[in-house]
Amino acid sequence: NSLRFNSGSSDYLTRTFGTPTSSQKWTLSFWVKRCKLGSTEFVFNTDGGNEEDRLQFNSGDTLTWYEQNSSAGTDAELTTSQVFRDVSAWYHIVLARDSTQGTASNRIKLYVNGSQVTALGAATYPSQNDSSRWNTAVAHEIGARNGGTFVNLYMAEVCFIDGQQLDPTSFGEFDEDSGIW
């Protein structure tokens, strides 16, 4: 019961949110299975030129969350050191944001398969109380960037929680016998 995004078919989803509870505090959870390696794949994106938020697999097969809320530069960026090259595996990804946190590294947390990613190739956290474009009244795309760059992947169980920074145990658990998420 997954969605198949195929760049050759220009498949993607788009939605513009109404009034959010918070653009400072939210959680995004989803399962993804990659089909194409070695290229940039924009999984989630807010439309916006100089202002956008996006989650992408990079050409080096790492994963990046990126926020740019002005032409002044990057407001936040987390890029994993870990690579995601198993096209037969499903990855559960949770991105949890709460810019009201006093500790910078608690403002954005990235989890893969139930474990927090702490090995980061790049880590720039938003300023305290900074608002993201995610969860605002702009176009949000799944599987594309600006309606023209499309991905090759499967996606399932996309959950967006407005107003709470949750950890992966709100969406899944480790198997008691195997220890697999």
Side-chain angles (χ1 to χ4, degrees), residues 80-136:
T80 65
S81 296
Q82 176 184 0
V83 294
F84 300 89
R85 292 187 176 136
D86 187 348
V87 294
S88 67
W90 281 93
Y91 298 102
H92 180 235
I93 298 172
V94 174
L95 181 68
R97 187 184 198 281
D98 181 359
S99 67
T100 67
Q101 295 286 325
T103 303
S105 61
N106 288 336
R107 294 180 193 147
I108 299 178
K109 296 180 180 181
L110 179 63
Y111 302 88
V112 176
N113 295 338
S115 298
Q116 186 173 354
V117 176
T118 56
L120 297 167
T124 303
Y125 296 95
S127 303
Q128 190 169 22
N129 299 315
D130 178 64
S131 294
S132 69
R133 286 181 59 79
W134 191 265
N135 197 25
T136 63

Side-chain angles (χ1 to χ4, degrees), residues 5 8-9 12 21-23 26 43 50-52 78-79 81 96 98 106 116 122 162 165 171:
F5 294 92
S9 300
Y12 76 103
T21 301
S22 175
S23 60
W26 47 262
V43 183
N50 285 338
E51 297 186 5
E52 68 178 330
L78 294 182
T79 299
S81 296
D98 181 359
N106 288 336
Q116 186 173 354
D162 183 6
Q165 183 186 46
F171 307 98

Side-chain angles (χ1 to χ4, degrees), residues 1 21 24 42 57 62 70 75 98 113 132-133 145 155 173 180:
N1 294 328
T21 301
Q24 296 172 326
F42 299 99
F57 287 104
T62 57
S70 69
D75 292 330
D98 181 359
N113 295 338
S132 69
R133 286 181 59 79
R145 181 174 184 212
M155 190 178 294
E173 62 185 28
I180 296 173

